[in-house]
């Protein structure tokens, strides 16, 4: 009997998901003769009746798929099947329905492309139902443990760096402070790496608390040195020195970037302008690095399936594909290291990164 792999994408989308799907389908069919069943809209496809899933035909996976952003399977980042919010307000455990669908489809294993939240939920489902689970890490936030890189991060970095490249000339022309708000609710990897690559003067991340006086002092030092502009990169989840997440006043500030620009205008005599990158970081065409790691990790996931090595995640470690136990991944999301080499590099350049760490 031909072995059947269920494949789904879960959580926020990012660039490179289709490249990973393509790699799984081609490696499964060409190398092993396995069939891949694509499940629609993450876990929702297995909760739906009829089940939303179909065999993925390898002949449809020509080069076009490799280049496309988004996920052809669809995805969700809500509706945990173990605590599902029903339309009537009830919270229901739908694990049995999920497991039943896995069995109805005759699956021998499930490959999930997801971030930390999704992998935690899927592992709980797999353990409850005795399902064979293999994971592939994705998220622009790059905070999945056990891997140096998650699919989507590199492309998001390119988008954020290009934004700084475009903000610098207009900042200098007008003598303004430009605030760039990037994604990262709990992890500042995008802000830190794009900030360094794009020549930011201030980089604010959730892992290092900031004070507006610290930001103002940096801008003043720039002014004294003869510079008429400043570039500020802020992750959406930044925190003040008081330790709290910044609460924005609904209707007054669009988000953290607007809040910060308003603060900067109050404590300096400079004009500040805001660019919120938002979902453009997720919807970009995948760059070469994301295509390469998505392909390598997709193939590794199929190899793990063929070898019967479940409860593991494909990973990208020290420039090569690898795999790690899911036990070392779930519930351990990884932020930037406040004492790490990149933060030290940034500070060595005089970039303001907050008070702590
Ligand atoms: O994928 C992670 C992330 O990009 C976060 O940085 C961001 O806060 C979140 O997704 C927003 O996602 P959504 O609006 O789709 O829930």
């Amino acid at each position: 009997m031909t072995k059947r792999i269920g494949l789904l994408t879960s959580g926020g989308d990012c660039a490179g998901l289709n490249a990973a799907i393509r790699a799984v389908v081609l490696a499964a069919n060409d190398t092993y003769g396995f069939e891949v069943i694509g499940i629609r809209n993450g876990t929702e496809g297995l909760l739906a009746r009829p089940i939303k899933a179909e065999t993925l035909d390898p002949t449809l996976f020509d080069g076009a798929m490799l280049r496309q952003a988004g996920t052809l399977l669809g995805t969700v980042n809500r509706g945990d099947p173990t605590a599902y919010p029903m339309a009537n307000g009830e919270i229901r455990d739908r694990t049995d329905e999920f497991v039943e669908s896995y069995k109805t489809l005759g699956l021998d294993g499930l490959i999930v492309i997801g971030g930390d939240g999704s992998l935690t939920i899927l592992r709980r489902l797999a353990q409850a139902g005795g399902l064979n689970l293999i994971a592939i890490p994705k998220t622009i936030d790059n905070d999945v443990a056990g891997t140096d890189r998650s699919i989507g991060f590199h492309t998001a970095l390119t988008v954020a760096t290009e934004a700084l490249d475009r903000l610098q000339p207009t900042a200098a022309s007008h003598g303004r402070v430009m605030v760039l708000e990037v994604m990262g609710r709990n992890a500042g990897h995008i802000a830190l790496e794009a900030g360094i690559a794009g020549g930011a003067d201030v980089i604010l991340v959730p892992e290092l608390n900031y004070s507006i006086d610290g930001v103002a002092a940096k801008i003043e030092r720039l002014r004294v040195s003869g510079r008429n502009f400043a570039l500020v990169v802020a992750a959406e989840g930044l925190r003040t020195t008081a330790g709290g997440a910044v609460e924005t006043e609904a209707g007054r500030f669009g988000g953290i970037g607007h809040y910060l620009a308003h603060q900067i205008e109050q404590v300096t005599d400079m004009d500040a302008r805001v660019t919120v990158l938002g979902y453009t970081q997720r919807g970009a065409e995948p760059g070469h690095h994301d295509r390469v790691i998505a392909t390598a990790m997709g193939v590794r996931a199929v190899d793990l399936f063929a070898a019967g090595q479940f409860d593991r995640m494909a990973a990208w470690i020290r420039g090569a594909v690898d795999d790690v136990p899911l036990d070392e991944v779930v519930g351990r999301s990884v932020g930037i290291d406040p004492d790490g080499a990149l933060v030290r590099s940034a500070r060595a350049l005089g970039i303001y990164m907050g008070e702590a760490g």
Side-chain angles (χ1 to χ4, degrees):
M1 280 262 291
T2 306
K3 289 205 168 173
R4 306 185 103 194
I5 304 173
L7 176 64
L8 62 85
T9 48
S10 179
D13 74 324
C14 62
L17 294 175
N18 286 326
I21 294 167
R22 171 180 177 266
V24 168
V25 172
L26 294 184
N29 282 272
D30 292 359
T31 307
Y32 295 105
F34 299 150
E35 191 180 358
V36 179
I37 312 297
I39 296 155
R40 294 273 166 201
N41 305 328
T43 48
E44 290 286 335
L46 293 183
L47 296 177
R49 297 292 179 269
I51 298 166
K52 289 197 179 142
E54 73 230 49
T55 298
L56 297 176
D57 177 354
T59 63
L60 298 178
F61 288 81
D62 57 17
M65 200 59 72
L66 184 66
R67 288 164 241 283
Q68 282 172 18
T71 162
L72 72 102
L73 292 175
T75 187
V76 287
N77 55 5
R78 57 185 155 65
D80 172 358
T82 66
Y84 195 91
M86 305 297 287
N88 64 3
E90 179 200 343
I91 301 293
R92 188 185 295 173
D93 183 353
R94 302 183 67 188
T95 303
D96 289 350
E97 293 163 72
F98 188 89
V99 173
E100 183 185 88
S101 298
Y102 176 96
K103 291 182 177 154
T104 303
L105 291 173
L107 300 180
D108 299 291
L110 194 58
I111 295 180
V112 171
I113 310 172
D116 181 51
S118 300
L119 298 185
T120 304
I121 292 168
L122 266 299
R123 188 162 189 251
R124 207 181 302 142
L125 288 162
Q127 286 177 338
L131 317 182
N132 295 325
L133 179 68
I134 294 164
I136 299 174
K138 69 87 218 166
T139 166
I140 65 166
D141 293 347
N142 203 43
D143 58 354
V144 178
T147 184
D148 296 342
R149 286 285 185 257
S150 292
I151 296 169
F153 174 59
H154 196 269
T155 305
L157 271 184
T158 304
V159 172
T161 305
E162 280 177 9
L164 286 168
D165 290 347
R166 291 170 193 179
L167 289 173
Q168 189 276 332
T170 172
S173 301
H174 286 267
R176 284 171 171 161
V177 178
M178 287 293 183
V179 176
L180 178 68
E181 179 186 315
V182 297
M183 277 188 169
R185 256 189 303 221
N186 302 307
H189 297 286
I190 297 177
L192 176 58
E193 294 202 28
I196 291 173
D201 304 297
V202 173
I203 300 174
L204 304 180
V205 295
E207 297 87 343
L208 291 163
N209 302 338
Y210 86 98
S211 73
I212 192 60
D213 291 342
V215 175
K218 171 64 188 177
I219 292 172
E220 176 60 15
R221 282 198 297 281
L222 291 173
R223 199 188 59 75
V224 168
S225 74
R227 182 104 82 69
N228 73 335
F229 73 93
L231 295 180
V232 176
V233 183
E236 58 189 341
L238 61 83
R239 304 173 86 83
T240 65
T241 40
V246 177
E247 299 289 336
T248 57
E249 293 173 41
R252 179 137 183 238
F253 305 112
I256 205 66
H258 290 89
Y259 173 82
L260 197 58
H262 179 75
Q263 276 194 316
I264 290 169
E265 287 192 334
Q266 283 186 326
V267 296
T268 71
D269 59 0
M270 292 186 75
D271 277 349
R273 295 288 187 272
V274 186
T275 302
V276 180
L277 273 189
Y279 297 87
T280 62
Q281 296 158 95
R282 297 209 325 216
E285 182 178 272
H288 78 279
H289 184 70
D290 279 324
R291 298 185 202 189
V292 169
I293 69 167
T295 301
M297 293 199 285
V299 170
R300 175 60 66 110
V302 176
D303 288 342
L304 287 170
F305 173 84
Q309 292 188 34
F310 303 112
D311 204 29
R312 296 188 74 79
M313 182 182 81
W316 188 259
I317 300 172
R318 285 186 283 279
V321 71
D322 207 334
D323 56 87
V324 293
L326 267 176
D327 199 34
E328 293 173 11
V329 174
V330 297
R332 300 181 186 213
S333 87
V334 178
I336 62 171
D337 177 358
D339 302 314
L342 279 184
V343 173
R344 278 192 278 114
S345 300
R347 286 197 162 132
L349 300 182
I351 297 173
Y352 174 76
M353 284 210 62
E355 320 291 329

